[in-house]
Amino acid sequence: MTEDGPIIEVRGLEARYGDVCVLSDVSFSVKRGEVFVILGASGCGKTTLLKHMTGLMLPTAGCVIHDGTDLTQLDEDGLALLQREIGIAFQSGALFNSMTVGENVAMPLREFRLVDEELIPYLVRLKLSLVGLADAEHRLPDALSGGMRKRAGLARAMAADPPVVYFDEPSAGLDPITAAGLDELILSLRHLLGITFVIVTHELDSIKRIADRALMLDRGVVTFLGTIDEAMASDNERVRQFFERRPDEYIMHRNI
Amino acid sequence: MSDKRAAAPDRLTESTGHDLLRAVKAHDLGRDDTLVLDFAGCSFMDSRGGAWVGRVAEIARSAGADVRIEGQQGQVADFLEMIGPGLTTAVTPRPKPMGLVERICDTTVQVVKEAGQIAELVFDALYWLIIAPFEGRGFRWDSFTTELYEMGVRAVRINCLMNFLLGLTIAMMSAAQLRSLGLDIYVADLVVIGFARELAVIMTGVVVAARTGAAITAELANMKVQEEIDALNGMGLNVSQYLVAPKLLSLVVAMPCLTALGMVMGVLGGAFWGTVVLDHRMEVWMDHTLAAATIDDVMQGLIKSFFFANVIVFVGCHNGLRVTGGSRGVGLMTTRAVVMDIFAMVVIDMAFAALLYYVLE
C-alpha cells in the first residue's frame, strides 16, 4: 500500500447471473489519480464490472483489492466501512426524491458524522458550486433536468471527499455542451483534489478528452487494456470497430 | 473603512481551518470593514478547507463587512476560482411557508380541481365501458379477464378467512350477552342480519381497498413515473380505455361476488361458534338463520358493494395518475388512496343507512 501503487486492483474476476457468465477472468489495475475508463458495447458487462468493483455485487471467483484491502474477503460491516471511502455517481443520479438536492449531498456527511456540523452547509454549497448547481440547493430532485440530476449525483458522490469516484455513464443522454462541461469538471477535480475516477462510458468524444487509460470489454472478456492512443492504434478488430463507429457486418449488408 | 487581514495556513484543511476561523473571530468586524483573506502563504487546500472559507466569509457578511481574497496561487487559485460562486454569494434562504389564508385558498382550489379531475375520469371511463363498444371501439376483454382473476379470484381466500373470523368474533361477543337471558339462539339472527346488511360488505370493502385499491394506485403511479402513461398517450391510446375501464368492469363484477361469499362465510363463522361452543344443533341454527334474513337484506349489502367497487377503482386510478415526485410520491399516493377508499365507503354506508331507515321508511 504505497502512494505510487495501484489504488484498485482486480484479479481474475468472474461474474455469473445463474448459468450465464457475464464476466470472465477480468484483471487490471487502476493507478492513483488517473481517469480510468471502462468501455464497450451495450450489454458487454460494464455496469456489472462497476457493481463488483464497488462491492454492490460479489464475484463468483477472483478478487477486488481497494487500497490494499480485498473487498471479497470483508464481512458486511467491513464492506460498509470501505464503501464510505468510495463515491458512486449513478447513471440517473439516483437522488433521494424526498429530500432537497442540498439534503441529498449532506446525507453521507451527516450519517457518518465525518465533518463538523458547523461546516456541513458550507461544504454542501461548495460541492454544489463545483458541479455548477449552487442555486439548486433547496430544489427537489424531480424539479431538475436529467443533466442537473446527474451532476447533483456527482456532488453527492464527492460529498465525503472519497479518494475514488465511480461514475456510470456521465455523458449519456446529455447535450454536447453539458457533456463537455462534465468532462472538464472531471478533469479539474482530478487536478485539484487528486480524485481517481473510474468511469463507465461509450461516448467516444468524452473518452478521447478525459481518459488516461481504458479497459474494453467484449462479451465479458477484456479485449483491450492500455492508453487511449494505443487503443486508437490497435489492430484488434473489435477495438477498431468501436473507435471507427462501424456497425456489425450483418447490419452493413442489410443496409445496402 | 479599514482592512482586517487574516492569513490562511500553508495547508488549508478541516483541522487547520479552525486557525483561520480564530484569526477572523479575533477581529471586531464592523459595517465599514473589509475582511482580507490572505492566501499568499497557502500552498494547498481541499474541499473542507474551502468550506471553512465559506464559513468565515459568512461571519464577515453577517457583520456587514465585505470579503476580499488575495495572494492565491497555483492549486489554491484554481480551486478558489472553481468554487467562487459558492463563496461570494450569500446562502439562499429556504422558500417561506404559506400563511393561513393563503393555505385555505390553496386547499379550496386544490379540492375543486381534484373533484373536476375525478368527474372527468368517471365520465371518460363510463364512456369507454358503456358507449364506446356500441360505436365499434373495442373494450379490452383480455385485460378484463386478467384483472378479474387478479382482483377477484385471488382475493377469495383472504376474504373468506377475514369474514369467517369476523363472524366468529361477533358470535362470541353477542353470545356472552344473550346467554345470560337464555336467548343465545338469537345470535344466529344477529349474525346473519349483520352480515347481510353491513358487516360482509364493509369487511370485503376493507380487504379489497387494501389489496386491489393499493395495487391500482401503485401500478398506475409507477407507470406515470416511468413515463409509461405518456407512452400510451403518445401512441394515441386512451388511458381510460386501456387501463381504467377494464379495471372498473372487473371490480364491479368481482366485488358483489366477494361480498356474497363474505356473507356466507360470516354466517358460517357464527354457526361454528353456535354449534361447537353454544351446543345448538346445526339444523336449528340454520333454520333460525334462514328465517331471520330476507332477500332485501342481502340486496342492500350487494348494492352497497357495487358502489364500493366504483369508489375503489376511481379513487385508485385518480390517485395513481396524479402522482408527482418519484418513489416517494408513489408511496404517498398509495396511502392516500387507501385512506380515501375507506373514508368514502364509510360515508356511502352512512348515506345508505340514513336513506333506508329514515327517508324511505
Side-chain angles (χ1 to χ4, degrees):
Chain A
M1 207 175 99
T2 59
E3 278 293 310
D4 307 324
I7 190 159
I8 307 156
E9 220 181 328
V10 176
R11 287 192 205 139
L13 191 75
E14 186 191 274
R16 291 174 174 279
Y17 288 119
D19 290 337
V20 187
C21 187
V22 188
L23 295 172
S24 77
D25 197 25
V26 175
S27 300
F28 61 93
S29 60
V30 179
K31 292 178 201 151
R32 210 172 286 274
E34 79 174 338
V35 177
F36 188 86
V37 171
I38 299 168
L39 44 94
S42 301
C44 70
K46 297 189 299 278
T47 302
T48 306
L49 176 58
L50 197 74
K51 285 189 172 167
H52 281 87
M53 291 175 76
T54 49
L56 294 175
M57 290 170 91
L58 288 176
T60 41
C63 59
V64 177
I65 299 164
H66 231 280
D67 222 352
T69 318
D70 186 354
L71 277 187
T72 56
Q73 301 301 317
L74 293 172
D75 59 1
E76 215 170 294
D77 293 341
L79 186 62
L81 267 176
L82 192 124
Q83 278 167 334
R84 294 184 192 178
E85 301 287 311
I86 297 174
I88 311 174
F90 292 92
Q91 207 175 121
S92 58
L95 300 174
F96 302 111
N97 265 306
S98 51
M99 304 177 186
T100 63
V101 173
E103 286 164 350
N104 261 286
V105 177
M107 189 183 163
L109 301 171
R110 292 228 161 86
E111 284 300 313
F112 304 141
R113 300 174 197 287
L114 295 171
V115 195
D116 229 326
E117 184 66 34
E118 184 187 359
L119 216 52
I120 289 178
Y122 302 96
L123 200 50
V124 167
R125 202 143 48 94
L126 183 143
K127 298 288 177 188
L128 285 173
S129 13
L130 278 180
V131 298
L133 286 177
D135 48 0
E137 190 177 338
H138 299 302
R139 289 166 74 181
L140 284 170
D142 56 293
L144 302 184
S145 72
M148 288 165 94
R149 249 178 266 176
K150 216 168 252 207
R151 282 184 283 155
L154 178 61
R156 188 181 63 186
M158 300 187 310
D161 296 308
V164 189
V165 171
Y166 291 87
F167 206 155
D168 196 3
E169 306 265 2
S171 38
L174 297 184
D175 65 274
I177 300 171
T178 313
L182 211 49
D183 288 348
E184 294 311 313
L185 175 66
I186 290 168
L187 290 177
S188 327
L189 290 173
R190 191 264 301 262
H191 163 65
L192 291 173
L193 301 174
I195 298 176
T196 308
F197 278 95
V198 177
I199 296 173
V200 167
T201 185
H202 41 223
E203 299 284 320
L204 285 176
D205 296 335
S206 169
I207 294 166
K208 288 175 191 162
R209 176 81 187 100
I210 62 176
D212 293 317
R213 287 194 312 141
L215 169 86
M216 186 165 167
L217 288 174
D218 185 31
R219 297 183 197 96
V221 184
V222 178
T223 46
F224 173 82
L225 176 62
T227 64
I228 290 303
D229 294 336
E230 286 166 11
M232 311 254 269
S234 167
D235 50 8
N236 181 308
E237 177 50 29
R238 215 47 196 167
V239 178
R240 291 179 68 87
Q241 199 185 351
F242 188 88
F243 279 93
E244 290 164 17
R245 283 186 101 243
R246 269 189 290 120
D248 281 327
E249 286 296 317
Y250 70 95
I251 295 176
M252 300 261 279
H253 291 308
R254 198 177 55 194
N255 282 348
I256 291 167
Chain B
M1 180 92 189
S2 67
D3 284 359
K4 303 274 172 73
R5 303 185 75 85
D10 175 33
R11 293 177 68 82
L12 183 56
T13 59
E14 187 181 1
S15 52
T16 56
H18 288 282
D19 301 337
L20 184 66
L21 182 69
R22 264 194 298 276
V24 171
K25 278 187 172 167
H27 294 301
D28 184 22
L29 289 166
R31 192 161 290 279
D32 295 328
D33 295 333
T34 300
L35 174 68
V36 180
L37 295 172
D38 182 4
F39 278 84
C42 181
S43 62
F44 172 83
M45 67 187 287
D46 63 7
S47 41
R48 291 179 195 182
W52 277 118
V53 177
R55 175 81 188 100
V56 296
E58 186 74 20
I59 290 174
R61 254 197 308 275
S62 60
D66 286 335
V67 181
R68 198 169 73 230
I69 293 173
E70 61 179 42
Q72 68 271 36
Q73 50 203 321
Q75 184 260 1
V76 176
D78 292 345
F79 196 86
L80 283 172
E81 191 191 332
M82 202 164 165
I83 58 177
L87 293 180
T88 48
T89 55
V91 182
T92 39
R94 279 170 166 280
K96 267 192 193 151
M98 279 189 272
L100 182 65
V101 179
E102 216 176 334
R103 256 204 329 255
I104 292 172
C105 295
D106 200 58
T107 312
T108 316
V109 172
Q110 291 300 328
V111 168
V112 172
K113 231 190 212 168
E114 203 174 335
Q117 287 168 344
I118 294 183
E120 196 185 327
L121 185 71
V122 170
F123 284 123
D124 223 20
L126 291 181
Y127 167 79
W128 283 104
L129 186 59
I130 299 166
I131 301 170
F134 291 105
E135 292 178 345
R137 310 168 82 168
F139 177 78
R140 296 185 63 235
W141 290 104
D142 53 337
S143 170
F144 165 74
T145 47
T146 326
E147 295 283 1
L148 191 61
Y149 177 76
E150 186 56 43
M151 293 174 174
V153 178
R154 282 170 56 99
V156 166
R157 259 186 309 181
I158 181 70
N159 190 46
C160 284
L161 182 66
M162 301 273 280
N163 278 287
F164 183 84
L165 292 179
L166 186 65
L168 204 62
T169 315
I170 298 289
M172 278 184 208
M173 293 168 78
S174 47
Q177 305 293 319
L178 293 173
R179 194 153 216 199
S180 57
L181 304 170
L183 298 173
D184 56 354
I185 187 66
Y186 287 98
V187 171
D189 303 45
L190 193 148
V191 168
V192 73
I193 293 174
F195 266 86
R197 289 184 185 172
E198 177 71 26
L199 295 173
V201 64
I202 280 285
M203 183 45 84
T204 307
V206 170
V207 170
V208 173
R211 253 189 113 258
T212 310
I216 291 175
T217 311
E219 182 190 339
L220 293 196
N222 245 324
M223 288 180 78
K224 173 99 184 179
V225 170
Q226 308 280 354
E227 295 183 317
E228 287 175 47
I229 300 287
D230 293 340
L232 269 180
N233 286 329
M235 289 178 210
L237 292 168
N238 188 292
V239 174
S240 294
Q241 177 199 10
Y242 211 79
L243 298 169
V244 185
K247 286 188 200 299
L248 182 62
L249 187 62
S250 308
L251 202 60
V252 163
V253 172
M255 188 89 174
C257 299
L258 287 172
T259 306
L261 208 57
M263 291 173 187
V264 173
M265 291 311 290
V267 168
L268 286 181
F272 178 80
W273 193 256
T275 51
V276 175
V277 179
L278 303 179
D279 277 340
H280 288 284
R281 289 199 3 250
M282 192 57 152
E283 303 93 88
V284 179
W285 192 273
M286 279 304 157
D287 280 348
H288 255 269
T289 300
L290 293 174
T294 62
I295 193 74
D296 285 354
D297 295 326
V298 176
M299 285 312 290
Q300 186 186 330
L302 293 184
I303 289 169
K304 278 196 275 194
S305 80
F306 168 80
F307 282 95
F308 288 7
N310 280 282
V311 164
I312 290 172
V313 171
F314 285 125
V315 167
C317 291
H318 166 72
N319 280 297
L321 290 174
R322 68 194 287 272
V323 72
T324 51
S327 46
R328 183 167 165 76
V330 176
L332 284 176
M333 281 301 150
T334 309
T335 312
R336 189 171 187 267
V338 176
V339 172
M340 271 174 89
D341 277 342
I342 293 174
F343 176 74
M345 287 193 288
V346 171
V347 171
I348 291 174
D349 205 32
M350 196 185 68
F352 262 91
L355 190 71
L356 291 172
Y357 298 102
Y358 292 93
V359 181
L360 299 179
E361 192 67 349

